[in-house]
mmCIF file of all heavy atoms in Angstrom:
data_model
loop_
_atom_site.group_PDB
_atom_site.id
_atom_site.type_symbol
_atom_site.label_atom_id
_atom_site.label_comp_id
_atom_site.label_asym_id
_atom_site.label_seq_id
_atom_site.Cartn_x
_atom_site.Cartn_y
_atom_site.Cartn_z
ATOM 1 N N ILE A 26 132.062 103.015 120.358
ATOM 2 C CA ILE A 26 131.521 103.946 121.349
ATOM 3 C C ILE A 26 131.914 105.342 120.889
ATOM 4 O O ILE A 26 133.063 105.604 120.583
ATOM 5 C CB ILE A 26 132.120 103.654 122.742
ATOM 6 C CG1 ILE A 26 131.656 102.284 123.217
ATOM 7 C CG2 ILE A 26 131.758 104.753 123.726
ATOM 8 C CD1 ILE A 26 132.294 101.835 124.516
ATOM 9 N N GLU A 404 141.145 95.298 128.611
ATOM 10 C CA GLU A 404 139.716 95.657 128.541
ATOM 11 C C GLU A 404 139.513 96.881 127.662
ATOM 12 O O GLU A 404 138.918 97.879 128.082
ATOM 13 C CB GLU A 404 139.147 95.910 129.950
ATOM 14 C CG GLU A 404 139.159 94.680 130.830
ATOM 15 C CD GLU A 404 138.766 94.983 132.276
ATOM 16 O OE1 GLU A 404 138.119 96.024 132.508
ATOM 17 O OE2 GLU A 404 139.129 94.184 133.155
ATOM 18 N N PHE A 442 134.590 93.682 119.717
ATOM 19 C CA PHE A 442 134.965 93.344 121.101
ATOM 20 C C PHE A 442 133.971 94.005 122.058
ATOM 21 O O PHE A 442 133.544 95.135 121.825
ATOM 22 C CB PHE A 442 136.385 93.868 121.331
ATOM 23 C CG PHE A 442 137.038 93.436 122.611
ATOM 24 C CD1 PHE A 442 137.428 92.111 122.782
ATOM 25 C CD2 PHE A 442 137.290 94.349 123.626
ATOM 26 C CE1 PHE A 442 138.056 91.706 123.950
ATOM 27 C CE2 PHE A 442 137.923 93.950 124.804
ATOM 28 C CZ PHE A 442 138.296 92.624 124.961
ATOM 29 N N PRO A 443 133.615 93.291 123.144
ATOM 30 C CA PRO A 443 132.647 93.896 124.077
ATOM 31 C C PRO A 443 133.111 95.272 124.556
ATOM 32 O O PRO A 443 134.258 95.425 124.965
ATOM 33 C CB PRO A 443 132.631 92.897 125.250
ATOM 34 C CG PRO A 443 133.123 91.615 124.685
ATOM 35 C CD PRO A 443 134.036 91.964 123.557
ATOM 36 N N ASN A 444 132.245 96.225 124.459
ATOM 37 C CA ASN A 444 132.539 97.606 124.865
ATOM 38 C C ASN A 444 133.802 98.147 124.195
ATOM 39 O O ASN A 444 134.595 98.866 124.810
ATOM 40 C CB ASN A 444 132.689 97.725 126.386
ATOM 41 C CG ASN A 444 131.387 97.415 127.108
ATOM 42 O OD1 ASN A 444 130.315 97.409 126.500
ATOM 43 N ND2 ASN A 444 131.482 97.162 128.391
ATOM 44 N N SER A 445 133.970 97.802 122.947
ATOM 45 C CA SER A 445 135.164 98.243 122.219
ATOM 46 C C SER A 445 135.251 99.767 122.165
ATOM 47 O O SER A 445 134.255 100.448 121.953
ATOM 48 C CB SER A 445 135.118 97.715 120.788
ATOM 49 O OG SER A 445 136.192 98.251 120.049
HETATM 50 C C1 NAG B 21 130.260 96.773 128.998
HETATM 51 O O1 NAG B 21 129.886 97.957 129.638
HETATM 52 C C2 NAG B 21 128.721 97.859 130.435
HETATM 53 C C3 NAG B 21 128.347 99.243 130.919
HETATM 54 O O2 NAG B 21 129.438 99.861 131.506
HETATM 55 C C4 NAG B 21 128.988 96.887 131.569
HETATM 56 O O3 NAG B 21 127.833 96.737 132.354
HETATM 57 C C5 NAG B 21 129.389 95.548 130.987
HETATM 58 O O4 NAG B 21 129.743 94.659 132.011
HETATM 59 C C6 NAG B 21 130.544 95.689 130.020
HETATM 60 N N1 NAG B 21 130.778 94.432 129.343
HETATM 61 C C7 NAG B 21 131.950 93.824 129.342
HETATM 62 C C8 NAG B 21 132.012 92.517 128.634
HETATM 63 O O5 NAG B 21 132.970 94.307 129.826
#
Side-chain angles (χ1 to χ4, degrees):
I26 294 174
E404 296 172 21
F442 189 70
N444 295 344
S445 174

